Structures are given as C-alpha cells and as structure tokens.
C-alpha cells in the first residue's frame, strides 16, 4: 500500500513539473511544408504510405492490458507529432477505432496531444511493413533523455492542462507495468 501511495505521489510531482514547464522542446515552426526541410517531405510521403499499413494492422494488435489502456487514451484525439531537435511538425487524428485519419504535413492548432519522437524513430515507423508493434513498443519505452527523447513521448499539447496532467501521470507510472 505504501509503495502505491509513493508511486502516485511521484506521478503527481512529475505531472506538476510537466505542467509547470519542466523540459522544453525546440521552438516549432507554424508547420507549413514550405518552412520544413526537404527530408520532411520525403518523411511525410513515407508516413502517408505507412498510414494504410498501420490502419490495416491495428485491429490485430497484441497489447498488454496496460498498453491497451494507454492506447485507449490516445484514441479519439488530434495529435501534433514533433520531430525533436528540428522544426518539423505533422498532425493526425486517431479515430475511436484506433485508425489514423486526417494526416497533415502541418501543425494542428486544435490538437489535444503532443507526440515527441526523433527523426530516426519516425523513419523507422514510416518504412515498416507493420508499424503497429513498433509504435506500441516506442510508446511503452518512450522517455525524455538528455534533452531529446527515446521512443515516443506523449503529453498534452500546450494549454491542454488536463491532458498534460493525465499524460504526466501515465508517463510516470508506465515503467511500473
């Protein structure tokens, strides 16, 4: 019981730190394709191709109970994908069935969630024949390290305090499962 209380306390402290502006991400552009480097166009083309692969396999995804609960928190949201250490931003909506829709090569001002990943992670997922297991693993193992990220880190988009707190707690406790 005491360890559960400690875990919840740590999770809440992490959430408060994130809401208070803990780690920052490099400033992002307005998300227009013209402002992004040429490699971003190639990556977006690969992501468009990956979208159908992802959508085809998401119904067959094997996830633990904890992974499924995290995944269910992503569904139904519009998400901005920030490629860390660059000005590249994409956006998409994850439908209630888990499929990716409305993939755009720009930032969506109405997004609820922020997904952070490196260019290498994005390229690996975008060129995978079945990107679902890689996505699940990257979210499960995602963490901030030395000013960048490993895997995929999800948080609430700026100004979305409830989402920031929720994802602060999820990110703090997901390592315990």
């Amino acid at each position: 019981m005491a360890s559960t209380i400690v875990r919840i306390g740590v999770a809440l402290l992490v959430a408060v730190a994130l809401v208070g502006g803990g780690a920052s991400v490099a400033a992002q552009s307005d998300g227009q394709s013209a402002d992004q480097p040429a490699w971003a166009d190639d990556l977006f083309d690969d992501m468009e191709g990956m979208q159908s692969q992802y959508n085809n396999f998401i119904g067959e995804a094997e996830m633990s109970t904890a992974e499924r609960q995290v995944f269910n928190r992503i569904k139904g949201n519009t998400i901005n994908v920030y490629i860390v250490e660059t000005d590249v931003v994409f956006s998409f909506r994850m439908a209630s069935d888990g499929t990716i829709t409305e993939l755009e090569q720009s930032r969506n001002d109405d997004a609820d969630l922020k997904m952070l990943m490196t260019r290498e992670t994005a390229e690996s997922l975008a060129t995978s024949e079945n990107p679902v297991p890689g996505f699940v693993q990257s979210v499960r193992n995602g963490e901030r390290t030395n000013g960048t990220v490993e895997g995929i880190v999800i948080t609430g988009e700026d100004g979305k305090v409830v989402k920031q707190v929720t994802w602060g707690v999820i990110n703090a406790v997901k390592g315990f499962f």
Side-chain angles (χ1 to χ4, degrees):
M1 179 69 176
S3 71
T4 301
I5 292 171
V6 170
R7 287 181 189 164
I8 291 170
V10 169
L12 290 174
L13 287 173
V14 170
V16 169
L18 288 173
V19 171
S24 65
V25 175
Q28 304 296 327
S29 72
D30 65 4
Q32 297 303 311
S33 175
D35 294 340
Q36 296 185 2
W39 62 263
D41 293 333
D42 294 335
L43 178 57
F44 185 76
D45 289 345
D46 288 343
M47 289 178 75
E48 285 182 311
M50 180 268 314
Q51 180 179 354
S52 64
Q53 290 294 95
Y54 180 93
N55 290 347
N56 287 338
F57 288 107
I58 193 59
E60 303 169 12
E62 291 185 27
M63 295 183 216
S64 69
T65 301
E67 290 167 342
R68 181 65 62 187
Q69 289 175 340
V70 169
F71 184 72
N72 288 340
R73 288 286 188 187
I74 302 170
K75 294 189 314 188
N77 286 285
T78 300
I79 303 157
N80 286 326
V81 179
Y82 295 89
I83 308 300
V84 296
E85 301 174 358
T86 75
D87 290 335
V88 176
V89 183
F90 303 124
S91 64
F92 67 91
R93 176 154 183 77
M94 185 171 285
S96 59
D97 65 356
T99 58
I100 293 174
T101 64
E102 302 172 36
L103 180 63
E104 300 289 333
Q105 191 174 354
S106 61
R107 184 180 182 284
N108 185 320
D109 291 336
D110 296 324
D112 297 312
L113 299 179
K114 176 188 298 189
M115 189 175 285
L116 309 171
M117 69 181 76
T118 63
R119 178 179 169 186
E120 292 76 21
T121 298
E123 288 172 343
S124 175
L125 292 172
T127 58
S128 176
E129 287 186 34
N130 180 356
V132 175
F135 176 77
V136 171
Q137 180 180 357
S138 292
V139 171
R140 179 183 57 232
N141 298 329
E143 64 181 355
R144 293 177 191 255
T145 59
N146 301 322
T148 188
V149 298
E150 289 184 25
I152 296 173
V153 174
I154 301 172
T155 186
E157 187 56 87
D158 295 344
K160 306 290 183 173
V161 177
V162 172
K163 297 283 187 183
Q164 289 174 327
V165 170
T166 299
W167 281 95
V169 171
I170 290 170
N171 287 325
V173 300
K174 70 181 178 184
F176 295 111
F177 299 105

